[in-house]
Amino acid sequence: MLNLAINLQTDKEIIEEFTKGNVEQAANEFVKRYKNFVYLIAFRYVKDYDDAEDITQEVFIDALQKLKFFRQESSLKTWLYRITVNKCKNFLRRRKLVTLVRFGFPNDDEEKGLDFPDNSQNGGVEKKELEEKFLEVVASLPEKQREVFSLRYFDNLTFAQISNLLGTSIGGLKANYFHAVRKIAFAMKQYLED
Amino acid sequence: MEKQFFDRQEMEERMPDYIFGRLSKEEMEKFENSLLNFPDLVQEIEDVRKVFSKLEKANIDKFVEKRTRNIPVKVNERLKQRRSPLNILARPGFVTLVAGLGIILIAISIFFPIARKFDVNPTQVVKKADTLDNNPLIFPQLDELANLANEQQLDLNILPEIVSAIPLEQDNSYEPAVDFLDELVSEQIVDFIVNEKSVGFTPPYFDLFKNLDKIDENNFQKLIEELKDVQI
């Protein structure tokens, strides 16, 4: 009961609490704080809500098992981002392999991932929520554009932080950001007009 | 001196941050002043703003929150499961350990029958070889062969048959030594012949060897022709 009163505000406090042995409380705070961040990254990569949830759980289980070895040379967010991207890439590799074994080589359309409903044919019956559609449009962008947009728009990271995560120059990131915004606006405008 | 206006590329790089209100005050002023030079961008900014104004970031957060609200509980449950002593399979390293042990067991089960079959223990081979060198009577058949050769003025043509008739020790567990024994038997027979242990037994080809340089070409060719048919 006393543990519930502890208010862990910074990453450092979470790690300290975890190292002290107050595992459950620290873990809970850690997951609560970063679950949306991890989930959105996972969704952007795997383009499936359920798979994204599974991956999010896996990421936290992995991270919590390694948390006491975390050296704090980078922020927890950066560390989690890397774990999540690695997990997603492994997941996609496995999924591609399974698809290959079961159905042969996927065609280009399947590789693009998301399958948006064609509202013009379905008369808008399967019209999705605006937010869901927006997330899907973001997820369908090329990887660099998608990541820089998401990290800047959703997670409010600076270009320097994003550059550190993605290993791209700040100039390149800004160009990618601009193209991402332009593409999203175009796709969403079409969706809204339909 | 710093430029008064942004160029096209600089404008595009800053456009999203301008729309989402993330430019500094100075940059925003410079951006707006520069916009006069790029009327197409003015229209684009308007379009983007319209779209994103419909997308409330708070709604997206709510949408994601709805999908992730159970994750802390699920993670906690899975962690508890993993920590449970009964759930040994989920422990990190367990699968690796089992796989490693399996590989070792398979390697042992393959290696030992092969090792037993070939019995390549070098100490045993040397011991056996020593015994053979120091005790030539281990092959009593050789003495018999010598006696037979003495008594019957052995014809060399039947020598291969006699050699093949000599029974070797039937010990399957000592197969690598068979070649060695074959060689030894051959050596002892040759030794026996060369040293003329067999009384009155002079293999005819010995003279031939000594006189090879005296044979003319025709005879030598005939000799080679005859040797072609010899079966050893």
Side-chain angles (χ1 to χ4, degrees), chain A residues 35-36 53 58 153 182, chain B residues 44 57 65 68 74 78:
Chain A
K35 64 184 169 56
N36 291 0
E53 193 187 321
E58 286 295 326
Y153 182 78
R182 184 183 254 178
Chain B
E44 191 165 359
K57 226 169 138 188
E65 185 62 40
T68 60
K74 286 181 182 171
R78 284 177 71 174

Side-chain angles (χ1 to χ4, degrees), chain A residues 149-170:
Chain A
F149 174 80
S150 304
L151 293 169
R152 184 91 176 139
Y153 182 78
F154 294 119
D155 304 313
N156 297 318
L157 296 191
T158 63
F159 281 116
Q161 287 171 317
I162 300 170
S163 169
N164 184 33
L165 276 177
L166 304 182
T168 308
S169 69
I170 290 177

Side-chain angles (χ1 to χ4, degrees), chain B residues 49-62:
Chain B
R49 263 201 181 132
K50 229 183 252 175
V51 168
F52 277 87
S53 67
K54 290 192 167 54
L55 294 163
E56 285 294 322
K57 226 169 138 188
N59 287 346
I60 291 167
D61 290 342
K62 265 186 219 161

Side-chain angles (χ1 to χ4, degrees), chain A residues 8-153:
Chain A
L8 304 172
Q9 291 192 334
T10 63
D11 289 351
K12 206 178 166 193
E13 282 172 351
I14 290 177
I15 297 165
E16 275 171 8
E17 211 54 35
F18 194 85
T19 319
K20 267 192 236 166
N22 192 3
V23 178
E24 207 165 309
Q25 167 75 11
N28 200 36
E29 193 58 43
F30 176 60
V31 178
K32 265 191 198 166
R33 181 170 300 186
Y34 291 112
K35 64 184 169 56
N36 291 0
F37 172 69
V38 171
Y39 181 83
L40 273 176
I41 300 167
F43 175 73
R44 293 199 301 264
Y45 273 90
V46 301
K47 301 172 177 72
D48 181 278
Y49 293 112
D50 296 329
D51 288 339
E53 193 187 321
D54 289 342
I55 289 170
T56 306
Q57 288 179 34
E58 286 295 326
V59 167
F60 282 114
I61 287 165
D62 256 26
L64 285 165
Q65 281 171 343
K66 293 172 190 163
L67 192 60
K68 55 184 158 192
F69 306 113
F70 178 64
R71 285 176 292 175
Q72 299 187 53
E73 285 166 3
S74 59
S75 70
L76 270 181
K77 210 172 194 177
T78 310
W79 183 59
L80 273 176
Y81 180 84
R82 294 212 170 100
I83 296 177
T84 313
V85 171
N86 283 339
K87 276 241 180 282
C88 291
K89 286 184 175 172
N90 287 339
F91 173 86
L92 290 173
R93 261 196 292 273
R94 268 202 312 274
R95 188 161 77 180
K96 202 170 180 178
L97 195 70
V98 171
T99 313
L100 197 72
V101 171
R102 282 188 193 157
F103 310 111
F105 287 94
N107 61 36
D108 287 348
D109 291 340
E110 280 171 341
E111 283 218 294
K112 277 173 194 162
L114 285 175
D115 179 25
F116 296 129
D118 186 349
N119 291 332
S120 58
Q121 284 178 3
N122 298 328
V125 176
E126 292 181 38
K127 196 173 182 182
K128 295 188 176 186
E129 292 294 321
L130 194 63
E131 289 76 24
E132 202 171 340
K133 175 72 189 175
F134 173 59
L135 289 180
E136 286 176 356
V137 170
V138 172
S140 70
L141 292 172
E143 185 177 349
K144 275 273 157 69
Q145 292 177 16
R146 184 189 71 212
E147 288 310 291
V148 70
F149 174 80
S150 304
L151 293 169
R152 184 91 176 139
Y153 182 78

Side-chain angles (χ1 to χ4, degrees), chain B residues 17-214:
Chain B
D17 278 349
Y18 174 73
I19 294 166
F20 304 130
R22 294 191 67 172
L23 283 185
S24 65
K25 199 181 166 195
E26 295 78 32
E27 273 200 318
M28 195 175 76
E29 279 171 10
K30 194 171 171 179
F31 184 90
E32 284 173 345
N33 290 336
S34 309
L35 260 183
L36 298 170
N37 301 326
F38 306 101
D40 60 317
L41 281 187
V42 177
Q43 184 56 46
E44 191 165 359
I45 288 168
E46 202 52 42
D47 289 347
V48 174
R49 263 201 181 132
K50 229 183 252 175
V51 168
F52 277 87
S53 67
K54 290 192 167 54
L55 294 163
E56 285 294 322
K57 226 169 138 188
N59 287 346
I60 291 167
D61 290 342
K62 265 186 219 161
F63 172 77
V64 176
E65 185 62 40
K66 219 162 98 179
R67 291 196 167 268
T68 60
R69 66 184 162 204
N70 293 327
I71 285 179
V73 180
K74 286 181 182 171
V75 168
N76 208 12
E77 276 170 9
R78 284 177 71 174
L79 275 175
K80 271 182 190 166
Q81 265 180 6
R82 286 198 178 199
R83 285 194 208 109
S84 158
L86 294 173
N87 194 6
I88 193 167
L89 278 172
R91 293 194 169 188
F94 179 76
V95 175
T96 318
L97 182 72
V98 171
L101 284 174
I103 290 167
I104 291 168
L105 282 173
I106 291 167
I108 289 170
S109 64
I110 292 170
F111 175 75
F112 273 97
I114 292 172
R116 205 180 301 133
K117 192 176 177 189
F118 287 102
D119 196 10
V120 286
N121 187 334
T123 323
Q124 286 180 7
V125 174
V126 170
K127 270 185 189 166
K128 201 100 174 188
D130 284 350
T131 314
L132 293 172
D133 278 347
N134 297 333
N135 186 13
L137 288 178
I138 196 168
F139 300 113
Q141 297 88 351
L142 286 180
D143 289 336
E144 286 167 19
L145 176 65
N147 290 335
L148 188 69
N150 278 334
E151 286 166 10
Q152 301 190 1
Q153 293 290 299
L154 185 64
D155 182 0
L156 273 180
N157 288 335
I158 64 164
L159 195 57
E161 287 173 39
I162 294 170
V163 171
S164 65
I166 296 171
L168 286 173
E169 199 176 346
Q170 295 292 310
D171 183 0
N172 288 337
S173 68
Y174 200 62
E175 285 175 19
V178 170
D179 287 344
F180 172 76
L181 291 176
D182 278 346
E183 198 178 323
L184 196 68
V185 168
S186 307
E187 273 176 16
Q188 291 205 20
I189 290 168
V190 171
D191 190 48
F192 159 71
I193 293 166
V194 171
N195 292 326
E196 296 184 336
K197 281 179 185 170
S198 137
V199 179
F201 177 77
T202 309
Y205 61 82
F206 274 21
D207 285 338
L208 193 61
F209 282 152
K210 286 175 191 167
N211 297 302
L212 268 178
D213 57 334
K214 293 170 189 165

